[in-house]
Amino acid sequence: MAGKDRGPERGPIRESLRLLLPLLAAIALVVVAVGVVTTRTTRAWFESELHSRAVLAASSARQGVLSAYASGDSRQLTFLLDDIVHDDQVVAAALCRIDGTLVTRTPLFPGDGEFCDRSRISVANWRGTRTGTQSGVITPLDGGVPSHVSVTTFISALTVPVRLVLLQDFEPAIRRETLVQRWAMLVFGMLAVASSLLTVLSSRLTRGGLMRRLTVALRGESKWWHDGDAPLIDDVRALAQRSTAAAVEADRDGRWTRSRLRSVLNEHVREESLVILANREPYIHDSVPGGDVIVRHPASGLVTALEPVMRACSGVWIAHGSGTADRQSADANGRLLVPPGEESYRLRRVWMTDAEEQGYYYGFANEGLWPVCHQTYARPVFRRSDWDHYRTINERFADTVLQETTLDDPIVLVQDYHFALAPRMIRDRLPRATIITFWHIPWPNAERFSICPWREEIVDGLLGSSIVGFHTQAHCNHFLETVDSALEARIDRTDNAIIRQGGRTMVRPYPISVEWPLRWTEAVPDAAACRRQVFEELELRDDTILAVGVDRLDYTKGIEERIEAVERLLERRPTLIGRFVFVQLAAPSRSEIPQYRQLRDAVEASVERINGRFGTEGYSPVVFLRAHHEPERVFRFYRAADMCYVSSLHDGMNLVSKEFVAARDDERGVLVLSKFAGAAHELADALIVNPYDMEEASGAMERAAFMPPAEQAERMRAMRAVVAEHNVYRWAGRMLLDAAQLRARARRTLNLSGFPMHVSTE
Ligand code: F6P
């Protein structure tokens, strides 16, 4: 605590030191460097000056010396040398023969001729020419005062060549050199200290003001920049918002929650409410025999994810009214408030004829786009009539958006492959809308998608969106690649955006998830009670190892492969026969489509075969429950089970895996998960398998069956932490924050130019 209290006082000092210490280190380096450079430069100047003096002295004495030497006048020679050393800098002089012997010298000239031999003088760098004057500095070995020595060769026709050797005092040069060096270091040092202090001071003084002005500008309360700088301000604002979002996510206590999502919406999107466009409605009203109407929660990952978002954010959900009692449960316009009894948002039902549903939903969406987007070897079927219905229904939903909003710039969340054309149609009707389209299934590579006869229209339709979202970056990359090959568009690879016809569409990964805490976990009893109930219902032995699978009956889910893996498990581990039970909860789905009916038949045949092979009186290794199961029932099974096997052959995300993890607050149970589900990227503590590989899949189930409780708990804890953190509020929150940025930018553009602009246009 004490440390914490001192924190705020030490902050500014630490901050200044952080700035100052590197500055001082840099100054020290600069001062040392200046010292070295000054020493070298001044020394070179002085040596050059002494060299010039030597040249001058020698040339003045040359004539006299040569004639005195030629005439053998030693007195005259002595006189001439004495004359030279009268110069206060030249301390000694000597005349030498070319063979290195001494002719004569002044009294202070050292030695007996060793200085006559140039090769015996220890000078590191001679300057000048060998035939003229050469000079350098000699430093005595004892470290005494250095001297400057020069050797000038006199060549004449009168006599043999002789050398004049001069020694000059170098001490004054050293003194001047030291003085210059000190001053230079002092001046540079003072300048450096002064400038660094000024830097620190000005940064402290200006930061407050700059930050204040920047804050005001970022809030959009004042405009102190030039119009041309607006993009820069936008970028700063975007950066600030992104860092805020990241900081929020990084803070465990700041985990995304329902109320947090709500406040993001209030803060960034203000009073505007959301409009969701999704084919599947969250509440289906069905008539049951006897005339009653029941409300069903559809088996849909999309609904699982979006419903909590709508509860948090309010607004309107536009969906196909598919229940047999839907019309009678809504008003004349197909509107009603939901959830029943809670009424926190509006459901707007859109009606369609059987033929339209057949063409748009069963036909183009589920016989065409669904198999194209999933790698499951189901042959896509594309019919012109289905396409026409698909377009008509997309138009109808786009029109309904217009009916359900009073704003000219609503935020519209378009969901899934049922509405690939709607974004462009909404954009045409509401140019300023922020349209976020989320594609809940995989996006295939460009080559595979090219088999769709209307791929250009599909891609163009999606590019009416401000943002297109996928579960994974790989799907985003496939989409960019598809756009590139299908249309004329500019792709901004740095920002993962597509620029086309003046519009800009961002492409982003937003991995979808479930709410946390998941409300159904609160609606069912604890794990022990669920296990008792399920065991009682299925009449299972107490020592049964229970595995569950929960899916729509869809060929992408790998249900046949799963049952085959159970067969392989019982083959490789016969002691499990009688003890191992696999329960498949299978919600009927799209049963108008022949492939789905064939799948149902194939699965039923497999179940029958395996139960015939391994079953006994009172024991069936596979229990196939083909029916709609309400979420409470599904969650009972999740809690009762020892393991859950998700064997998708290809899946955008797969929320069953996340629901299972959310259900297991007892930290027990093992998740066996297909590597082809998007969830495998996040739930690394599941047993990840290739569902096509029977050895691997059955091996993983065997391992799960005997996994020690401590390992189960460790894995489950890790997965629960991931799902808790990466929950659906985060999924929606991140999309809305990105949308808020686009909207703020569009508003500023509007303010600056005075012209209305397309919200996704730069
Ligand atoms: O996986 C795609 C998807 O649309 C999901 O978003 C949804 O959970 C599921 O299919 C349900 O499909 P349908 O609405 O056709 O029953």
Side-chain angles (χ1 to χ4, degrees):
M1 283 303 283
K4 265 189 185 167
D5 290 340
R6 281 198 308 272
E9 289 156 34
R10 289 208 316 239
I13 296 170
R14 274 206 192 137
E15 202 184 317
S16 299
L17 279 181
R18 253 206 324 268
L19 195 59
L20 261 180
L21 287 179
L23 257 177
L24 289 177
I27 289 168
L29 273 178
V30 167
V31 169
V32 169
V34 164
V36 171
V37 171
T38 336
T39 308
R40 289 205 177 144
T41 314
T42 47
R43 178 162 289 222
W45 285 342
F46 292 138
E47 282 184 32
S48 156
E49 190 190 321
L50 293 181
H51 180 84
S52 303
R53 275 170 186 263
V55 170
L56 192 65
S59 66
S60 319
R62 183 174 185 277
Q63 211 50 54
V65 167
L66 279 174
S67 45
Y69 181 70
S71 60
D73 188 346
S74 56
R75 258 192 75 240
Q76 179 64 8
L77 278 176
T78 311
F79 174 76
L80 285 170
L81 294 189
D82 283 344
D83 202 30
I84 294 171
V85 297
H86 275 149
D87 180 323
D88 58 2
Q89 199 87 34
V90 183
V91 285
L95 188 70
C96 308
R97 294 180 193 90
I98 199 75
D99 61 2
T101 54
L102 184 69
V103 178
T104 184
R105 61 179 169 89
T106 58
L108 292 179
F109 199 87
D112 275 329
E114 51 267 44
F115 278 89
C116 288
D117 184 353
R118 209 184 62 96
S119 62
R120 291 170 66 191
I121 309 174
S122 61
V123 166
N125 294 311
W126 287 99
R127 66 164 67 220
T129 55
R130 268 188 100 83
T131 49
T133 300
Q134 280 192 298
S135 70
V137 176
I138 3 168
T139 307
L141 289 177
D142 61 6
V145 182
S147 299
H148 182 269
V149 60
S150 66
V151 181
T152 307
T153 307
F154 291 152
I155 299 170
S156 155
L158 300 175
T159 176
V160 291
V162 285
R163 281 187 184 137
L164 178 66
V165 182
L166 303 178
L167 292 178
Q168 298 188 67
D169 187 1
F170 202 66
E171 203 181 357
I174 299 271
R175 273 202 310 273
R176 277 153 69 190
E177 181 183 293
T178 315
L179 202 67
V180 170
Q181 193 182 340
R182 276 192 194 146
W183 273 107
M185 285 173 68
L186 192 71
V187 169
F188 269 89
M190 280 166 63
L191 277 177
V193 169
S195 61
S196 55
L197 284 177
L198 273 176
T199 308
V200 172
L201 204 64
S202 67
S203 96
R204 293 184 70 90
L205 284 177
T206 56
R207 200 175 46 185
L210 180 66
M211 288 314 288
R212 262 195 305 281
R213 285 189 298 154
L214 198 55
T215 309
V216 168
L218 291 176
R219 280 198 201 124
E221 289 164 10
S222 106
K223 186 183 147 217
W224 55 271
W225 65 89
H226 301 295
D227 286 3
D229 298 335
L232 176 68
I233 294 295
D234 287 348
D235 289 345
V236 173
R237 186 183 283 114
L239 192 67
Q241 284 172 350
R242 241 179 278 143
S243 343
T244 310
V248 164
E249 284 169 31
D251 178 3
R252 280 191 69 81
D253 296 328
R255 175 182 291 164
W256 281 95
T257 59
R258 175 191 163 117
S259 57
R260 177 166 187 76
L261 177 63
R262 172 93 234 151
S263 61
V264 162
L265 194 75
N266 287 341
E267 189 183 335
H268 295 281
V269 191
R270 306 212 176 98
E271 76 289 351
E272 303 135 19
S273 52
L274 299 180
V275 181
I276 287 192
L277 212 71
N279 174 72
R280 187 59 64 199
E281 56 184 340
Y283 299 94
I284 302 175
H285 287 88
D286 272 336
S287 316
V288 288
D292 283 346
V293 171
I294 56 156
V295 180
R296 279 196 302 115
H297 300 88
S300 159
L302 180 152
V303 172
T304 304
L306 278 174
E307 216 272 332
V309 172
M310 281 306 273
R311 282 169 186 252
C313 299
S314 302
V316 55
W317 181 318
I318 304 173
H320 171 211
S322 58
T324 49
D326 269 359
R327 277 185 197 263
Q328 69 190 71
S329 318
D331 70 11
N333 295 311
R335 295 185 182 126
L336 68 156
L337 291 175
V338 288
E342 209 178 296
E343 302 180 348
S344 44
Y345 64 95
R346 188 164 78 243
L347 173 59
R348 166 67 200 270
R349 287 175 171 149
V350 175
W351 316 114
M352 54 185 89
T353 63
D354 287 349
E356 285 170 340
E357 186 182 1
Q358 190 63 46
Y360 141 81
Y361 173 77
Y362 291 109
F364 193 76
N366 285 313
E367 284 188 277
L369 288 179
W370 180 267
V372 159
C373 292
H374 290 89
Q375 292 179 25
T376 48
Y377 314 107
R379 180 174 165 270
V381 180
F382 290 106
R383 298 180 199 93
R384 175 84 225 184
S385 54
D386 290 348
W387 169 248
D388 291 340
H389 284 306
Y390 186 83
R391 222 178 22 214
T392 306
I393 297 299
N394 272 251
E395 291 277 4
R396 190 169 303 158
F397 272 78
D399 287 337
T400 311
V401 170
L402 223 59
Q403 294 161 18
E404 294 300 322
T405 181
T406 52
L407 303 168
D408 66 345
D409 64 343
I411 295 188
V412 187
L413 305 182
V414 178
Q415 303 300 308
D416 230 348
Y417 59 101
H418 310 91
F419 297 118
L421 302 179
R424 170 71 60 214
M425 295 166 174
I426 299 168
R427 169 75 60 224
D428 290 344
R429 290 158 175 77
L430 293 166
R432 296 187 54 231
T434 304
I435 305 169
I436 308 174
T437 301
F438 191 78
W439 196 262
H440 289 253
I441 60 177
W443 188 278
N445 65 37
E447 196 178 350
R448 188 174 169 92
F449 197 76
S450 70
I451 66 176
C452 172
W454 296 283
R455 67 167 186 156
E456 284 89 351
E457 288 87 338
I458 297 278
V459 169
D460 176 66
L462 288 168
L463 293 183
S465 317
S466 320
I467 304 175
V468 177
F470 297 93
H471 293 298
T472 66
Q473 184 61 48
H475 299 159
C476 294
N477 296 345
H478 284 166
F479 179 68
L480 291 171
E481 191 192 305
T482 306
V483 173
D484 207 12
S485 70
L487 297 174
E488 281 294 315
R490 189 165 78 76
I491 299 187
D492 176 350
R493 303 258 171 207
T494 335
D495 191 34
N496 277 353
I498 298 152
I499 298 106
R500 182 155 182 275
Q501 296 172 350
R504 184 182 179 91
T505 303
M506 280 167 43
V507 180
R508 293 283 182 275
Y510 302 104
I512 206 166
S513 195
V514 293
E515 63 182 320
W516 191 276
L518 214 157
R519 70 187 155 124
W520 302 113
T521 61
E522 284 149 22
V524 293
D526 64 18
C530 287
R531 195 166 169 93
R532 269 197 309 278
Q533 288 172 7
V534 167
F535 273 46
E536 204 176 295
E537 177 189 327
L538 300 179
E539 299 179 356
L540 301 177
R541 271 168 44 179
D542 286 351
D543 64 345
T544 300
I545 295 168
L546 177 64
V548 296
V550 177
D551 305 85
R552 285 180 305 103
L553 194 44
D554 192 299
Y555 54 80
T556 60
K557 304 295 179 185
I559 300 172
E560 277 185 275
E561 288 76 2
R562 190 179 307 177
I563 290 168
E564 214 181 299
V566 171
E567 183 173 24
R568 183 73 197 104
L569 171 67
L570 298 180
E571 280 169 4
R572 62 192 278 166
R573 192 82 181 227
T575 52
L576 284 176
I577 299 169
R579 272 189 74 198
F580 184 91
V581 173
F582 183 83
V583 178
Q584 176 66 50
L585 304 187
S589 181
R590 307 171 191 169
S591 25
E592 299 286 311
I593 300 172
Q595 278 161 325
Y596 284 76
R597 290 198 297 270
Q598 285 156 17
L599 172 76
R600 181 195 60 202
D601 297 344
V603 169
E604 280 174 353
S606 305
V607 172
E608 214 177 313
R609 181 170 49 78
I610 294 167
N611 284 343
R613 186 173 167 199
F614 297 105
T616 52
E617 182 65 35
Y619 169 68
S620 297
V622 181
V623 179
F624 183 53
L625 301 175
R626 186 170 66 82
H628 171 75
H629 304 277
E630 277 294 300
E632 285 101 330
R633 180 166 163 76
V634 172
F635 273 76
R636 264 177 238 274
F637 276 85
Y638 285 146
R639 281 206 167 146
D642 295 290
M643 75 183 78
C644 175
Y645 183 20
V646 173
S647 57
S648 307
L649 304 181
H650 198 196
D651 218 332
M653 175 54 69
N654 189 285
L655 290 186
V656 166
S657 54
K658 294 188 176 181
E659 283 179 345
F660 176 66
V661 167
R664 298 315 296 257
D665 47 10
D666 60 336
E667 296 180 348
R668 293 290 293 272
V670 182
L671 176 64
V672 182
L673 176 60
S674 161
K675 66 177 179 181
F676 303 121
H681 294 283
E682 293 180 84
L683 302 177
D685 285 278
L687 299 182
I688 308 286
V689 298
N690 173 358
Y692 290 97
D693 181 344
M694 290 308 138
E695 296 309 312
E696 188 176 273
S698 59
M701 279 198 278
E702 184 178 1
R703 186 168 166 208
F706 298 103
M707 187 179 284
E711 187 182 346
Q712 290 184 31
E714 198 180 322
R715 287 172 179 273
M716 189 53 78
R717 252 199 307 277
M719 290 190 287
R720 285 175 65 78
V722 170
V723 180
E725 198 67 29
H726 294 202
N727 59 40
V728 78
Y729 301 117
R730 179 179 186 263
W731 172 77
R734 290 179 55 197
M735 286 196 295
L736 289 177
L737 282 176
D738 285 346
Q741 259 176 44
L742 294 179
R743 290 168 79 77
R745 180 178 291 192
R747 262 196 214 109
R748 286 190 305 278
T749 316
L750 202 69
N751 290 343
L752 290 176
S753 67
F755 291 106
M757 290 195 71
H758 179 312
V759 72
S760 61
T761 303
E762 283 195 329

